[in-house]
């Protein structure tokens, strides 16, 4: 695709996903009725369904998908690992652990209340991974970051399982969130996400030029005048904020952060990160919404959670990336 057509196509794909998300479900709503509900404030049954149920769900899908796409692109640049996603630095598992602790201690009830604990867990995981990787010669290299993140993820997942298996009440509340879905959310979930999304977005965009330099290697980045540790730490913190917001609202949705940056790079022919990052956010939003819509259709009138649909699509993508020449774990 010609580079000049990438952005219009991405915007149109996202807009189409939004319309489908508002129109498709157990009760099909014509596009004209969707527009009436949004623009004219009508009070018909269709309008009430759109505004009270599907609009918050669509907003959560947009924001969570954008956050995951942006976080994945950032982490792939930070670690120089094409297989990186928000799980490789332990961010998703850290956020999940924060939510489990909050549920088990009775500190949070409902999706809107999870965000602060998910944020604390994700940031704690990011700081711990960075502290472990920074020890020894060479500092926090991409390989050491990936290894530390993988080890911490495994340890955190084990600790989370211990808590869940020892408390049936916590497990009952957690299992609906753990699957990864955007259904059942309200507008307050989006409002609570916005500060984290804004802070994370600012951080990663400020690091865009530094991420371009990191792609050339740490020594080259230093020669170009970039403070490698500062760039890597700030970008990782931004990714942690974005991941926390997405995980708190939609659960640990898999593969969006992995697949979307590769698609963005292919469409833009490896454009600089000032282009790649916003495009990854837009494509992530479109992908998660499309997965949610597909989940409503494949087993109608029942629904398949969006996290399950992204996993079904993402697994073949992961296999293709591993098989691709030059891909490294």
């Amino acid at each position: 695709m010609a580079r000049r057509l990438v952005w219009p196509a991405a915007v149109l794909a996202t807009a189409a996903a939004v319309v489908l998300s508002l129109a498709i479900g157990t009760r099909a709503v014509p596009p004209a009725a969707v527009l009436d509900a949004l623009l004219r404030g009508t009070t018909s049954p269709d309008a009430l369904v759109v505004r009270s149920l599907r609009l918050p769900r669509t907003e959560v899908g947009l924001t969570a998908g954008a956050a995951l796409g942006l976080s994945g692109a950032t982490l792939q640049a930070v670690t120089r690992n094409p297989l990186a996603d928000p799980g490789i630095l332990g961010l998703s598992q850290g956020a999940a652990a924060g939510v489990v602790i909050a549920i088990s201690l009775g500190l949070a009830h409902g999706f809107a209340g999870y965000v602060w604990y998910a944020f604390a867990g994700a940031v704690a995981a990011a700081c711990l991974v960075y502290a472990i990787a920074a020890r020894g010669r060479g500092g926090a290299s991409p390989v050491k970051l990936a290894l530390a993140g993988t080890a911490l993820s495994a340890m955190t997942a084990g600790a989370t399982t211990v808590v869940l298996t020892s408390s049936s009440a916590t497990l009952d509340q957690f299992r609906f969130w753990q699957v990864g879905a955007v259904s059942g959310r309200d507008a307050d979930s989006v409002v609570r996400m916005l500060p984290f999304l804004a802070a994370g977005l600012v951080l990663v965009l400020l690091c865009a030029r530094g991420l371009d330099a990191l792609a050339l290697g740490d020594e080259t980045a230093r020669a170009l005048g970039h403070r490698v540790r500062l760039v890597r730490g700030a970008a990782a913190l931004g990714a942690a904020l974005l991941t926390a917001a997405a995980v708190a609202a939609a659960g640990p949705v898999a593969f969006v952060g992995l697949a979307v940056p590769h698609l963005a790079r292919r469409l833009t022919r490896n454009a600089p990160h000032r282009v790649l990052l916003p495009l990854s956010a837009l494509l992530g939003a479109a992908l998660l919404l499309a997965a949610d819509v597909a989940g409503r259709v494949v087993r109608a009138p029942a629904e398949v959670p969006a996290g399950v649909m992204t996993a079904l699509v993402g697994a073949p993508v992961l296999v293709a990336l591993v098989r691709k020449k030059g891909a490294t774990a």
Side-chain angles (χ1 to χ4, degrees), residues 17 50 85 91 143 148 200 204-205 210 292:
V50 169
D85 72 349
L91 302 187
V143 173
V204 298
L205 291 181
D292 184 43

Side-chain angles (χ1 to χ4, degrees), residues 158-200:
T160 300
T161 301
V162 170
V163 174
L164 292 174
T165 53
S166 62
S167 172
S168 58
T170 302
L171 178 60
D172 287 341
Q173 189 173 351
F174 179 75
R175 62 191 177 91
F176 294 106
W177 174 85
Q178 186 185 28
V179 174
V182 297
S183 59
R185 278 53 167 177
D186 54 24
D188 193 36
S189 300
V190 179
V191 173
R192 289 175 182 262
M193 290 170 64
L194 290 179
F196 300 94
L197 291 171

Side-chain angles (χ1 to χ4, degrees), residues 91 94-95 117-129 196 236-237 240-241 244:
L91 302 187
Y117 302 99
F119 165 67
V123 171
C127 292
L128 186 56
V129 167
F196 300 94
L237 177 59
L241 289 165

Side-chain angles (χ1 to χ4, degrees), residues 11-24:
V11 171
L12 286 175
T14 306
V18 168
V19 173
L20 291 174
S21 179
L22 294 173
I24 293 177

Side-chain angles (χ1 to χ4, degrees), residues 223-294:
L224 293 174
H226 293 279
R227 300 171 64 181
V228 171
R229 290 189 178 182
L230 179 61
V231 170
R232 187 166 279 135
L237 177 59
L241 289 165
L242 293 165
T243 301
V247 170
V253 176
F255 292 111
V256 174
L258 170 66
V260 163
H262 287 276
L263 176 60
R265 277 192 289 270
R266 175 164 294 192
L267 292 176
T268 59
R269 300 175 186 175
N270 293 314
H273 280 86
R274 61 183 174 80
V275 175
L276 181 68
L277 292 173
L279 183 59
S280 295
L282 191 60
L283 293 176
L287 176 59
L288 186 54
L289 275 183
D292 184 43
V293 171

